[in-house]
Amino acid sequence: MFPLPPEDRSLSPLTGFTRAHWEAVADGLLAAVEPYRSPDGAVITFPGRESISRCDGLEGYARTFLLAAFRVAGGGPPGLLEPYARGLRTGPGVWPPIRDRTQPMVEAASIATALWLTREHLWDRLPAATRDRTAAYLADALHHEPVDNNWWLFPVMVGGFLSAAGLHTAAADAAVERGLARIERWYAGDGWYSDGDRPSFDHYNGWAMHLYPILLGHLSGNLDLRYGRRLREFLAGYALMFDAEGGMLYHGRSLTYRFASAASLFAGALAGATPLSPGQTRGLASAVLRRFLDHDALSPEGILTLGWHGPHEPTLQPYSGFASPYWAAKAFTGLLLPPEHPVWTAREEPGPRGVVALPGPGFVVQNTGGLARVVNHGSQHHPGDPLYDRYAYSTRTAPATGPADNHVGSVPRGRIVARGAGMLGDTAWAASFAEGSGVSSVSVVRGEVEVRLHHGDAGRETGWALPGAQVLPSVHVLPGPAGVYGAAVRAPDGLTSWLIPLTGSPEPSILKAPAGTAFGTPALIPALTGPEGNGWRVTAVVLSHDLPGLPSARVTDLTVTLTWPDGVEQSFGPEGPR
């Protein structure tokens, strides 16, 4: 990997990273792409897999251009823009055209944003003929149909730039208004948007649905206050989705964008719309960046790989091509904050911890410092997609490609029908109905413990998948609190996946997942199979280093009453609290 400055553990006791490290990473990433740039500068072609869109060379240009723009707009050397200026002279003639729902519309937004960020350094100095050709190419994004999700924000950014440049203004202004109006219908509350009409709640909420309106307001000088309010509310829950070592949540699509997950943290500081202190903002963002740099996200040549910790095919989607990971450039939004901004001058602080329910997306977020987990009773992209339909995701685990982890029943979960989420004192809960299996489920989360209540034909239930794990000593069972038995596997670092029944007497077992997860291969998964009690299966599903105290459970008809070790009693039915 490219060299970095010495660590500064005085200013940054958690990561050692400062603004100088972010600048050095940006410079290193940009230098590493030079051997892959075409002579005319219009495309960047890395070795490896092409996407189904077949516009990967344009992606390489547009996404690294965005990275260079953040660097230059933040005070970096304007010379970084020279190869992109060359590319603009020929690019509009060689790039794939923008048509309805085609990938060039996505890349047009990155080009427009980069030109807007660096207008005085680049756009205003281009020959008039180059400006006209580039504007004409970008303007096609204003007249074609986006995919009906976060894509509506790509014409918004193109329109914002063209309007600011005094070009195609009527169509540009209409595209901004139309796109922002479209995403309004998807605002679900708690700072969360669905990514289209499906209840798809994932990282796109931060690196697209929030980021683009904030950049639009920042660059136009006219930030709509509702976007700031929503971003602040979003960050209050989202900040809990990172662990103390920079692990980000492995959930949803496009995970190969990796540290783009930090973009909304910096956007909150940029807009003055964050519940985090400056030290927390930098601490979280720098930890994410450092974790991926330390875990093989870069090839020996310094190129971002297609995967997670190094190449990993199951992390990808059909639209993922060799340049896709460079949407990670969005993390460098933080360079728009000047060096004297408190985000760069304050002493690093750890992020928040705790348990919170988010009714908007149907999540419970559980952060104990070294581990962050999300219990999912609301997010789904396509039924059966392991990146969405598991009951829980974490910063230290990923879905197994088979058999299914964090699952119940003998068939896929099917369409998830959210039934609400909320808090009962220091306890969070979320509930849903799975149309595929016909099972009603409630997750009850307190401290490090999650109890899952399933009503219906639960069949087999599985816990967290851990790569490189060993079955705990003395066969594969642990005594449960009521004399029943559970299954558990322990990873080399001591992280343990427990699955302990609180009712009934299901048979424990350990499942093997030979293909493992994004964190390694092979993986082991604890499982329970067998009869429920009075139509209920009540199970403690715990991912931690030490087994905490578990509640007891009492079932009467359609009610399950949990009694915790400290005497707190709570009752739940198939749809939530009683």
Side-chain angles (χ1 to χ4, degrees):
M1 195 182 74
F2 36 79
L4 296 177
E7 294 182 1
D8 184 343
R9 292 287 173 172
S10 176
L11 181 63
S12 302
L14 304 177
T15 70
F17 273 26
T18 64
R19 181 186 174 93
H21 291 80
W22 282 85
E23 293 171 341
V25 173
D27 292 344
L29 289 171
L30 290 169
V33 309
E34 282 306 313
Y36 307 97
R37 195 185 302 272
S38 62
D40 64 358
V43 297
I44 294 175
T45 306
F46 300 115
R49 150 181 166 155
E50 290 186 88
S51 69
I52 58 172
S53 69
R54 302 299 184 192
C55 76
D56 302 274
L58 169 59
E59 271 191 41
Y61 174 90
R63 298 184 182 201
T64 60
F65 185 15
L66 184 60
L67 174 58
F70 281 130
R71 178 72 172 101
V72 173
L80 292 172
L81 300 175
E82 190 280 328
Y84 298 97
R86 283 193 289 113
L88 291 174
R89 289 197 288 269
T90 57
V94 302
W95 294 330
I98 300 169
R99 297 293 183 260
D100 289 349
R101 297 173 294 280
T102 58
Q103 189 67 28
M105 183 180 291
V106 182
E107 310 318 317
S110 289
I111 293 171
T113 304
L115 289 169
W116 204 355
L117 285 164
T118 61
R119 182 173 175 178
E120 64 182 25
H121 297 290
L122 179 54
W123 180 259
D124 291 345
R125 301 183 181 190
L126 288 173
T130 301
R131 288 200 303 267
D132 290 344
R133 285 195 300 272
T134 301
Y137 179 84
L138 295 174
D140 272 348
L142 310 177
H143 304 291
H144 287 89
E145 192 79 8
V147 177
D148 198 25
N149 58 11
N150 70 88
W151 278 44
W152 281 97
L153 292 168
F154 303 141
V156 165
M157 295 309 295
V158 172
F161 167 66
L162 291 176
S163 180
L167 300 165
H168 305 271
T169 52
D173 292 340
V176 172
E177 182 177 354
R178 186 169 58 246
L180 294 178
R182 187 64 174 174
I183 70 168
E184 274 302 295
R185 65 184 288 175
W186 299 322
Y187 184 67
D190 300 303
W192 285 81
Y193 296 84
S194 64
D195 188 20
D197 286 336
R198 298 186 188 96
S200 183
F201 301 98
D202 58 17
H203 286 290
Y204 275 89
N205 197 74
W207 62 40
M209 307 301 276
H210 281 293
L211 181 64
Y212 288 119
I214 294 300
L215 287 177
L216 178 73
H218 173 74
L219 291 167
S220 68
N222 184 28
L223 176 64
D224 188 322
L225 293 181
R226 65 181 157 166
Y227 299 123
R229 288 194 299 268
R230 290 175 182 176
L231 177 56
R232 181 185 296 273
E233 192 171 5
F234 166 68
L235 291 174
Y238 182 64
L240 290 166
M241 297 182 187
F242 299 90
D243 65 39
E245 295 182 8
M248 65 176 265
L249 191 69
Y250 194 99
H251 169 246
R253 62 194 180 93
S254 301
L255 290 168
T256 197
Y257 301 160
R258 296 177 173 105
F259 44 83
S261 61
S264 59
L265 301 172
F266 283 132
L270 186 68
T274 178
L276 302 173
S277 71
Q280 286 180 312
T281 297
R282 188 176 81 255
L284 288 170
S286 290
V288 175
L289 176 63
R290 174 152 198 168
R291 180 166 182 82
F292 281 111
L293 295 180
D294 289 347
H295 285 78
D296 302 321
L298 298 180
S299 72
E301 297 77 25
I303 301 299
L304 281 166
T305 60
L306 274 167
W308 186 251
H309 292 168
H312 185 248
E313 185 74 20
T315 293
L316 309 179
Q317 283 71 47
Y319 56 77
S320 302
F322 53 67
S324 294
Y326 283 85
W327 244 33
K330 294 181 174 186
F332 294 85
T333 299
L335 295 181
L336 299 182
L337 302 168
E340 64 274 13
H341 192 281
V343 161
W344 298 118
T345 61
R347 183 177 169 87
E348 269 186 348
E349 299 176 58
R353 300 181 184 183
V355 176
V356 65
L358 301 174
F363 288 162
V364 170
V365 188
Q366 189 182 18
N367 187 303
T368 56
L371 185 67
R373 288 149 286 201
V374 165
V375 176
N376 174 35
H377 286 268
S379 179
Q380 190 167 57
H381 191 61
H382 294 291
D385 186 341
L387 295 172
Y388 286 92
D389 71 354
R390 301 294 197 250
Y391 278 93
Y393 297 86
S394 89
T395 58
R396 287 290 184 271
T397 67
T401 53
D405 59 289
N406 278 308
H407 182 68
V408 68
S410 58
V411 297
R413 195 172 178 184
R415 190 172 78 91
I416 299 172
V417 180
R419 285 176 162 173
M423 299 295 298
L424 296 172
D426 61 354
T427 303
W429 66 272
S432 62
F433 175 73
E435 289 191 341
S437 63
V439 173
S440 295
S441 300
V442 183
S443 288
V444 182
V445 180
R446 194 170 189 232
E448 291 187 284
V449 177
E450 179 196 352
V451 178
R452 291 183 195 162
L453 291 64
H454 300 295
H455 189 264
D457 185 10
R460 187 174 74 185
E461 182 172 15
T462 57
W464 298 91
L466 291 181
Q470 298 292 324
V471 177
L472 281 188
S474 70
V475 295
H476 60 261
V477 295
L478 285 176
V484 295
Y485 292 86
V489 296
R490 176 164 290 162
D493 66 355
L495 186 63
T496 305
S497 171
W498 280 281
L499 195 65
I500 300 177
L502 303 183
T503 60
S505 55
E507 179 69 25
S509 61
I510 302 296
L511 307 180
K512 295 181 179 179
T517 77
F519 290 80
T521 57
L524 296 180
I525 307 169
L528 298 173
T529 308
E532 299 83 36
N534 296 331
W536 286 94
R537 169 167 288 158
V538 183
T539 309
V541 187
V542 180
L543 183 67
S544 68
H545 284 79
D546 300 302
L547 185 61
L550 303 179
S552 62
R554 184 176 71 257
V555 176
T556 56
D557 298 325
L558 289 180
T559 300
V560 174
T561 299
L562 300 178
T563 303
W564 296 87
D566 62 359
V568 171
E569 273 198 5
Q570 297 160 335
S571 295
F572 298 87
E575 298 186 6
R578 291 287 192 184

